[in-house]
Amino acid sequence: MINNTAEKLPTIAILGGTGKEGPGLAMRWATVGYPIIIGSRKLEKAHATATRLNEKLSIDSITGLQNNDAACQADICVLTVVATAHQAALQGLKLGLKGKILVDATARVEFRDPKPPKPPSAARIAQDMLGPETKVVAALQNVPSHLLKQNLGATIDSDVLVFADDKTAASEVVKLVQAGGMRAYYAGDLDSAIVAEGLTAVLIQMNKYYSVKTASIGINGLDV
Ligand SMILES: NC(=O)c1ccc[n+]([C@@H]2O[C@H](COP(=O)([O-])OP(=O)(O)OC[C@H]3O[C@@H](n4cnc5c(N)ncnc54)[C@H](OP(=O)(O)O)[C@@H]3O)[C@@H](O)[C@H]2O)c1
C-alpha cells in the first residue's frame, strides 16, 4: 500500500543495510512510501543493494551511500550491522547520528551456539557511546529476516518490543515499526533491552529444533 497523503515521511537510513536484516526492513518501509538510504562501508555495495531492492519493488526511492553519509542525510537511522561489529561501527557514526533517533536492532547472539548475552544491552552501550544528543531506541531484535521479506505490504505475525529511555523517541519508533507491518509496543528502558537480545537466542534455538527460520514473539493482554 503506497502512502498518498500529503504528510512528508522521514528519510530512513539503514546502516549496514546490505546484509540479511536490513533489506527486508528497507523493502517494507519503501513499500509504504518512506525514502530509504541503504548504508554500507562500501559505496558500490550500498548502490548495488539499493538497485536490487528498487528493481524488486519497481520503485526508485531507495538509494545507497556509505554509512556515515547515510546517517547525515537521514531523519531516523536504523543500525543493522553484524552484531560483532556493533561498537566498531558506532565509533565512526557519532557525528552523523547527532540530533537523531538511532534504532538499534543488535542482538549479540552467535547463531551456532545461541546464548543470551550479559548486560549491559547493546543499545545501552550505544547510548553511552553516542551521548545524549542521539536518542537510542532498541527494537526489531526478534524479527527474523526471513519473515520481513514475506508478504511485503501486509502485516507479519511478529510483535516488536521497543525499548528507550526517551518515551517520545520510543513512540516515534513504535509508529515506524507499525508502518512496516509489525505490531509494536513500548517495553521499557534501554537496560531492559537485554531481554530482547536474550529472546533472540531462544528463537534461534526454536528455529533449529522445529526446522524453521521464522520463529518470532507475540504479546497478549494489551488493549492498545
Ligand atoms: N538476521 C536476522 O534474522 C536478524 C533478526 C533480528 C535482528 N538481527 C540483528 O541485526 C543485525 C544485522 O544482522 P544480519 O543478519 O543482517 O547481519 P549480516 O548480514 O551478517 O551483516 C550485516 C552487515 O554488517 C556489515 N558489516 C560486516 N562487518 C562489519 C564491520 N566490521 N563494520 C561495520 N559493518 C560491518 C556488512 O555491511 P557492509 O559490508 O555493506 O558494510 C553486512 O552486510 C545484527 O545485530 C543482528 O543481531 C538480525
Side-chain angles (χ1 to χ4, degrees):
M1 186 208 324
I2 300 292
N3 184 312
N4 285 321
T5 62
E7 182 199 0
K8 188 180 177 298
L9 295 171
T11 297
I12 312 297
I14 306 186
L15 311 171
T18 54
K20 295 181 275 302
E21 186 78 352
L25 293 169
M27 287 193 290
R28 289 200 151 262
W29 286 320
T31 300
V32 291
Y34 285 81
I36 302 292
I37 308 171
I38 296 289
S40 168
R41 287 168 296 176
K42 294 202 177 111
L43 183 59
E44 318 79 68
K45 194 172 169 188
H47 279 159
T49 298
T51 301
R52 178 171 59 82
L53 300 181
N54 278 327
E55 283 173 2
K56 223 169 174 172
L57 299 176
S58 303
I59 58 171
D60 60 6
S61 57
I62 303 179
T63 53
L65 287 174
Q66 281 189 315
N67 283 326
N68 198 45
D69 294 333
C72 288
Q73 294 203 14
D75 300 304
I76 299 178
C77 298
V78 181
L79 187 68
T80 59
V81 298
V82 66
T84 48
H86 178 249
Q87 291 187 51
L90 286 169
Q91 300 283 3
L93 292 169
K94 192 166 176 178
L95 272 183
L97 292 171
K98 222 172 167 177
K100 297 183 180 162
I101 290 176
L102 175 69
V103 183
D104 194 341
T106 306
R108 296 158 301 162
V109 179
E110 275 182 50
F111 182 78
R112 285 192 188 162
D113 183 23
K115 297 275 192 303
K118 291 193 170 63
S121 67
R124 173 60 72 205
I125 293 169
Q127 186 66 78
D128 289 347
M129 285 178 72
L130 297 169
E133 287 183 84
T134 301
K135 306 288 183 208
V136 176
V137 178
L140 300 160
Q141 286 80 0
N142 308 131
V143 186
S145 59
H146 282 86
L147 203 53
L148 285 171
K149 290 169 191 157
Q150 293 174 5
N151 304 319
L152 295 173
T155 302
I156 52 174
D157 193 15
S158 181
D159 287 2
V160 176
L161 303 176
V162 176
F163 305 87
D165 295 345
D166 183 313
K167 294 202 180 68
T168 308
S171 298
E172 208 166 321
V173 174
V174 164
K175 272 191 249 158
L176 180 65
V177 172
Q178 288 170 339
M182 292 156 269
R183 294 178 296 271
Y185 307 103
Y186 176 70
D189 65 9
L190 290 177
D191 295 317
S192 305
I194 192 71
V195 175
E197 290 189 69
L199 276 173
T200 299
V202 173
L203 293 170
I204 292 172
Q205 292 180 63
M206 293 176 79
N207 276 339
K208 288 181 177 180
Y209 185 84
Y210 291 102
S211 302
V212 297
K213 292 179 173 173
T214 50
S216 190
I217 63 159
I219 301 295
N220 294 323
L222 294 181
D223 188 18
V224 289

